Amino acid sequence: MERKGHLVPRGMSLYEAGIRAPKEVMETVVGRMLETRPRLEVTLKPYMELPFFQQEPLFGPACLDFEKAYPGQEAGAVAYGAAWLMASQQEKAAFSLQGEAQVWLNGRQIYGQGAETGADGLRREGGWTIIPVLLYAGKNELLVRCEKGNEGWGIRYLVSHPRYWMMWARDYLLNVRVTLPYAQMEGMEGMACIGPFPKDGSPTGLIPVLYGADWEHQGRKYRWTPRWEEGCEQDRIDFAALYGKREGSAYGLTYCHMEEGEACVVEVTGAGEFTLWIDGAEVARGSQIRFPVNGNGRKRQILIKCKSDAQGFSMEAHIRGRSMGQGEAGEQEGKESPAWKNCGWDVQGGSRGSWGDVRAGCGAPEMVSGEAGRDAVPYGVDFVRTGRDTCARWLYLGPFAAGMLSGAVEEEIQFRRPYPMGDYRYDFWTLGVAGTGTVSVRPYMDGIFFGQWFYAVQVGMVGLLGAARALERPELLRYFLDSTQAMADYFDYSQWEYGRGMNPAMIPRSCELRELDPCGTIGVSMVEAYLISGNERLLAMARHIADRVMDHVLRFSDDTYYRGETMWAE
């Protein structure tokens, strides 16, 4: 901690350091809190469901099962798995595993072939081997080698804070997420694998992790998977193939950035009836659309709806550049109405210069569309990154039931909760289909404290609210309000993922409100935030939590609340 620019010696209390006045104590504690627990932003990232890798909800281990990747192999076959463990900060951690494997972390073998023997702090408990490791802030390279035995082929592992080694809790003390180990798919959750290698002559040590290139071993070529496929880079989408339904409606969304004096034409063809919105205003309908758009120095939102008809259920959309001197754009679109300037979902950040370096689709083509010789227009969804230097070209949403009243998407384009699709279904945005299946979009908040649904965190938040009032510091109040609002905004999304058997990417502790722990302080934060902001979503959340406390939280026969093997004395 600091005091007036000087560090408080480690191990010394604030009192011993001479910090005793209540407001001075609050200023010191709050300053340290904001330094170590900064505000977090929600990011949207692509997600592939990988049959050989999943993380058990809610705080369970990651499971790497090579039998699902390479079924039917003989005993002794070998496969490798690789990932980047992305850590919120440098921290001592516990790497706990079950299964037979060789494991390397940041190039050093930590398990297998006796590598763990004599390691300081290593212990075994309940069938788990718990290995102390040091994680660096950001990327930590994990490599796993597994040989198929008689009782399985893979491992289960946890990466967690040593104090709670049995829980992979990403919302408290340490946030670690498993991501694919390539720059071309950077940030995407999952593990990559390569194999199967035959029992005789398989590699025995470290091997290179390459994206999209063959690795040759003993005369045979192998390739890491997953990777982006060509089918995910196109501007044509077959909704019938994507959703397995030939009736209904679906949407495509992208953004186009043009300066004043620039123009483009949006072209839509395919099978179905189409509706086009520009910046929230409906501008065209038909079985084919060709509509000119003028640049205004900002990103322009382009939303297209495809409603199936007798011809089918597919869409192909292109954005062609054209000169204002050609006349069509200026003549047909004319002057923009005030509604065009105020409608739509505003994307913050980014500049014209940044778009030139961004690539589109799933990682290959330039962020442009059009034939050779035609003017290039940069377009894409730059807030959904498909890799270090790439972004999504289009996002898709559907299928909405054929008889469902339309309007949910065009009235509000949002990325906080799933949309009602009709027929008691909900769904979220996707990128389309890659070689390994549907690529969906998921929101993440990688970090600790801010926006996290955890009783210990919310005790701190209520204290922060008191400090904001006592110190008259509006930025502390804004931190509290935004953190609480984030929990309310993504509650429905978390419930939706949990209902599908997934490990929720956001606020997982909100999914099972069966004890007072995930109800009490979070409910207090919701009420306090509502009384300050008046946001009705916060009031709805407070009522939901109250209902859970009254009707679902565990009690003894005399109505005393209890939790697990303990009880609430108060």
Side-chain angles (χ1 to χ4, degrees):
M1 293 185 180
E2 296 184 4
R3 183 192 180 192
K4 298 178 181 178
H6 300 285
L7 291 174
V8 175
R10 180 178 294 275
M12 181 180 289
S13 69
L14 295 179
Y15 184 88
E16 292 171 327
I19 303 175
R20 301 174 184 178
K23 284 194 174 182
E24 189 178 7
V25 170
M26 282 190 285
E27 289 282 7
T28 305
V29 172
V30 165
R32 178 63 172 166
M33 189 215 76
L34 294 178
E35 176 187 342
T36 59
R37 295 163 174 81
R39 296 172 62 96
L40 302 174
E41 299 295 333
V42 175
T43 57
L44 298 171
K45 300 181 186 298
Y47 173 77
M48 293 182 184
E49 290 190 22
L50 303 174
F52 57 87
F53 177 80
Q54 61 180 343
Q55 190 163 353
E56 297 177 4
L58 286 167
F59 305 103
C63 304
L64 178 61
D65 187 349
F66 288 117
E67 190 63 51
K68 293 181 178 179
Y70 310 112
Q73 301 298 312
E74 296 181 357
V78 170
Y80 280 76
W84 290 345
L85 304 179
M86 303 301 295
S88 57
Q89 72 266 6
Q90 181 167 310
E91 188 70 70
K92 292 180 180 178
F95 187 97
S96 310
L97 76 154
Q98 291 179 327
E100 295 298 323
Q102 292 174 251
V103 181
W104 293 265
L105 183 63
N106 293 324
R108 182 176 70 88
Q109 188 167 356
I110 62 171
Y111 186 77
Q113 296 182 319
E116 70 278 9
T117 303
D120 291 341
L122 180 141
R123 68 186 192 276
R124 289 180 170 84
E125 184 175 332
W128 291 86
T129 300
I130 305 160
I131 307 168
V133 297
L134 175 65
L135 296 179
Y136 301 111
K139 181 174 70 175
N140 296 269
E141 297 178 350
L142 176 68
L143 184 69
V144 177
R145 178 188 184 273
C146 290
E147 182 176 322
K148 183 176 180 179
N150 295 322
E151 297 182 0
W153 191 13
I155 65 168
R156 303 168 75 228
Y157 66 93
L158 295 152
V159 184
S160 49
H161 194 276
R163 189 182 305 172
Y164 306 105
W165 71 266
M166 75 299 295
M167 295 177 60
W168 195 324
R170 296 200 296 260
D171 55 0
Y172 182 57
L173 297 178
L174 177 64
N175 180 291
V176 179
R177 195 158 60 84
V178 184
T179 67
L180 294 173
Y182 328 112
Q184 294 88 343
M185 303 177 83
E186 188 173 80
M188 289 183 61
E189 191 168 338
M191 287 193 74
C193 66
I194 192 171
F197 299 94
K199 177 180 179 180
D200 298 325
S202 64
T204 59
L206 289 167
I207 65 172
V209 180
L210 308 172
Y211 176 82
D214 293 330
W215 182 65
E216 188 168 333
H217 177 73
Q218 294 192 348
R220 295 184 59 184
K221 294 181 179 180
Y222 300 86
R223 182 170 289 198
W224 287 90
T225 186
R227 59 188 180 274
W228 290 121
E229 299 290 341
E230 292 296 325
C232 200
E233 299 164 1
Q234 301 172 356
D235 293 312
R236 183 183 186 279
I237 185 76
D238 185 340
F239 291 119
L242 177 62
Y243 301 129
K245 294 178 179 291
R246 298 189 59 82
E247 293 185 348
S249 58
Y251 293 81
L253 172 70
T254 193
Y255 296 84
C256 178
H257 193 147
M258 297 177 295
E259 298 293 351
E260 295 279 356
E262 296 181 333
C264 71
V265 173
V266 179
E267 299 176 351
V268 186
T269 59
E273 289 292 321
F274 304 103
T275 307
L276 172 66
W277 291 265
I278 305 293
D279 294 339
E282 182 181 329
V283 296
R285 290 191 181 200
S287 57
Q288 296 185 19
I289 293 176
R290 191 171 190 274
F291 189 83
V293 181
N294 296 339
N296 59 6
R298 297 184 292 108
K299 294 188 185 77
R300 306 212 63 172
Q301 181 194 89
I302 298 172
L303 178 68
I304 304 170
K305 179 180 179 180
C306 174
K307 184 179 179 181
S308 63
D309 63 10
Q311 303 303 313
F313 193 15
S314 65
M315 180 178 79
E316 183 168 351
H318 299 277
I319 302 175
R320 317 283 195 189
R322 53 184 302 123
S323 169
M324 287 292 288
Q326 290 177 271
E328 183 179 357
E331 293 172 4
Q332 290 199 21
E333 187 180 20
K335 295 182 179 180
E336 296 174 353
S337 68
W340 280 53
K341 297 182 179 180
N342 299 321
C343 290
W345 193 78
D346 188 25
V347 181
Q348 300 295 327
S351 64
R352 173 69 174 185
S354 68
W355 283 67
D357 298 325
V358 175
R359 296 176 183 273
C362 296
E366 292 286 345
M367 189 170 173
V368 297
S369 179
E371 303 163 3
R374 307 212 40 186
D375 294 334
V377 177
Y379 68 96
V381 187
D382 68 337
F383 52 89
V384 178
R385 311 298 296 187
T386 59
R388 184 174 299 168
D389 301 314
T390 61
C391 75
R393 178 177 287 169
W394 289 89
L395 298 184
Y396 301 105
L397 181 65
F400 291 82
M404 185 179 180
L405 294 175
S406 60
V409 181
E410 50 265 37
E411 290 175 5
E412 183 185 18
I413 294 176
Q414 51 82 26
F415 300 91
R416 301 180 301 277
R417 58 188 180 275
Y419 284 87
M421 298 286 164
D423 297 334
Y424 305 100
R425 294 182 302 104
Y426 288 79
D427 219 323
F428 204 64
W429 297 92
T430 69
L431 273 72
V433 178
T436 54
T438 300
V439 182
S440 56
V441 175
R442 298 182 83 186
Y444 293 90
M445 186 181 287
D446 292 330
I448 59 174
F449 200 79
F450 184 89
Q452 302 298 346
W453 191 297
F454 185 40
Y455 81 94
V457 168
Q458 294 307 311
V459 169
M461 283 293 181
V462 173
L464 181 67
L465 176 60
R469 289 166 170 163
L471 300 174
E472 298 181 345
R473 290 181 57 178
E475 76 276 15
L476 300 183
L477 177 61
R478 176 49 54 192
Y479 183 106
F480 168 80
L481 291 174
D482 290 349
S483 174
T484 308
Q485 189 66 53
M487 292 189 294
D489 285 345
Y490 290 92
F491 178 80
D492 289 345
Y493 182 87
S494 180
Q495 306 301 303
W496 174 68
E497 282 202 333
Y498 185 57
R500 301 173 68 204
M502 300 176 67
N503 189 43
M506 301 278 290
I507 54 172
R509 294 181 198 264
S510 69
C511 295
E512 293 185 349
L513 304 183
R514 299 174 182 173
E515 300 176 344
L516 288 183
D517 288 46
C519 296
T521 54
I522 292 89
V524 170
S525 292
M526 295 291 175
V527 171
E528 292 283 2
Y530 169 72
L531 293 175
I532 296 168
S533 70
N535 187 303
E536 293 294 327
R537 176 65 179 168
L538 297 168
L539 178 60
M541 288 304 309
R543 286 174 170 163
H544 175 79
I545 294 171
D547 290 341
R548 299 295 299 185
V549 170
M550 296 304 296
D551 299 329
H552 298 276
V553 171
L554 302 173
R555 303 190 194 204
F556 291 117
S557 59
D558 64 355
D559 280 349
T560 303
Y561 291 111
Y562 73 92
R563 59 200 281 263
E565 299 178 354
T566 62
M567 63 178 289
W568 290 92
E570 66 271 34

